Amino acid sequence: MDPAVLRDDMVDGLEHALGRPLPEAIGLAMRTVPRREFVEDAPYDNRPSTVDGAVTLAPGTVARLLTALDPREEDDALIVGAGAGYTAAVLAEILDDRRVHALDIARPQVYRARSNLEAAGYGGVLVDCREGSSGLPEYAPYDRILVEAAAVEPPRDLLDQLADGGRLVFPKGNTDQTLVAVTPDDDAADGYRRVDERGPVRFAPLLVDGEQPGVTRNRTRREDREHAESGPDPGWEHEWLDWDERLSGRERSDGAPNWGDYGDRR
């Protein structure tokens, strides 16, 4: 069957499930982007796909994210968590590929996203291998930033890279996550305010350099540091032992680990 017909059927199905049309620009972009370049197995089913660690979100999830992002013509955008590149392609169809930048912490996924985007006709999207919470300051400011990974609070570096009136969308929370859109606000206690909320979601946590995917909850060093700056909270940190160090004899006389010898463990 003609892939264009399959894409139309995919979007029609999403709109039927929603009970309303998608925003015009998003619906048109999803009817245009050749999803088969990113997903080989049943590309038009409303389900996610993972190939060699590179995730392509379900079409319905992409539609939710971009609806919350609310991209406008002439916007410059950053996606944190490039995955296989499909979300970046849809956004590039709306904005123009040279206005879209993407990051991923995993180098193989960066290579896959670049290859997929080139094959789909969006080779102008810049995809870089970076720690997502640090953003891509070289090309800031951005009108829109989309984070395809969960965080307890929006990373400060990303907020700083937003243009005036810009919007950052991310899954907020730990176990219980809500898709929210925020904008910087110097008058707010946390430096931002919510401008939209799109219901519950479930994403893997935002990782930093040295962390590995596949964990239930991977608190980042950034969150540790920012939490410490906000004041003490018993129970935030939890002690752990480095058994290689203990076996080497570097242990305090009372049996507790000698943190002075071990250095910073976060």
Side-chain angles (χ1 to χ4, degrees):
M1 186 178 291
D2 184 349
V5 174
L6 293 174
R7 293 194 296 272
D8 283 342
D9 289 346
M10 176 187 76
V11 175
D12 289 345
L14 296 178
E15 294 181 334
H16 177 76
L18 283 172
R20 62 182 184 278
L22 293 174
E24 183 177 1
I26 296 171
L28 180 59
M30 295 185 72
R31 294 178 190 274
T32 303
V33 173
R35 187 173 164 86
R36 184 173 292 278
E37 299 294 346
F38 304 89
V39 180
E40 294 182 2
D41 182 25
Y44 303 107
D45 288 357
N46 189 26
R47 59 184 177 86
S49 173
T50 302
V51 178
D52 296 333
V55 177
T56 302
L57 299 175
T61 303
V62 173
R64 286 183 67 192
L65 292 173
L66 294 182
T67 299
L69 192 67
D70 190 25
R72 308 292 177 88
E73 190 175 355
E74 303 299 317
D75 279 351
D76 289 304
L78 173 66
I79 297 177
V80 176
Y86 177 70
T87 306
V90 177
L91 192 54
E93 180 64 33
I94 298 170
L95 302 181
D96 183 83
D97 56 357
R98 296 193 178 277
R99 291 185 174 276
V100 178
H101 308 73
L103 303 176
D104 207 290
I105 196 170
R107 191 169 299 278
Q109 294 185 24
V110 169
Y111 292 150
R112 181 178 293 274
R114 288 175 179 172
S115 175
N116 290 345
L117 285 161
E118 184 70 36
Y122 303 97
V125 175
L126 186 150
V127 186
D128 203 354
C129 187
R130 297 283 186 94
E131 178 183 310
S133 64
S134 299
L136 193 63
E138 296 91 329
Y139 297 91
Y142 304 101
D143 303 287
R144 297 291 187 267
I145 297 178
L146 173 61
V147 182
E148 294 190 358
V152 175
E153 296 292 336
R156 293 176 185 172
D157 286 343
L158 296 184
L159 287 174
D160 290 343
Q161 290 170 34
L162 279 173
D164 290 342
R167 174 178 288 217
L168 187 154
V169 171
F170 74 107
K172 178 176 173 59
N174 181 352
T175 302
D176 297 322
Q177 301 171 11
T178 302
L179 184 64
V180 301
V182 303
T183 192
D185 186 344
D186 292 337
D187 295 328
D190 295 324
Y192 68 90
R193 57 184 172 84
R194 293 194 190 192
V195 293
D196 198 3
E197 186 171 314
R198 293 281 166 171
V201 288
R202 183 67 173 172
F203 279 78
L206 184 64
L207 303 180
V208 300
D209 287 338
E211 293 182 327
Q212 299 297 325
V215 295
T216 301
R217 173 63 182 125
N218 197 340
R219 189 175 66 248
T220 68
R221 294 195 298 270
R222 171 184 55 77
E223 289 172 348
D224 278 340
R225 183 183 69 252
E226 293 181 2
H227 189 89
E229 291 171 357
S230 68
D233 182 3
W236 171 258
E237 303 290 353
H238 91 96
E239 293 185 1
W240 61 283
L241 301 178
D242 186 321
W243 291 104
D244 289 337
E245 297 287 6
R246 289 201 63 184
L247 290 171
S248 69
R250 297 169 69 181
E251 177 181 342
R252 288 188 350 202
S253 59
D254 60 1
N258 188 336
W259 300 117
D261 288 343
Y262 295 174
D264 186 3
R265 289 295 176 182
R266 285 178 291 175

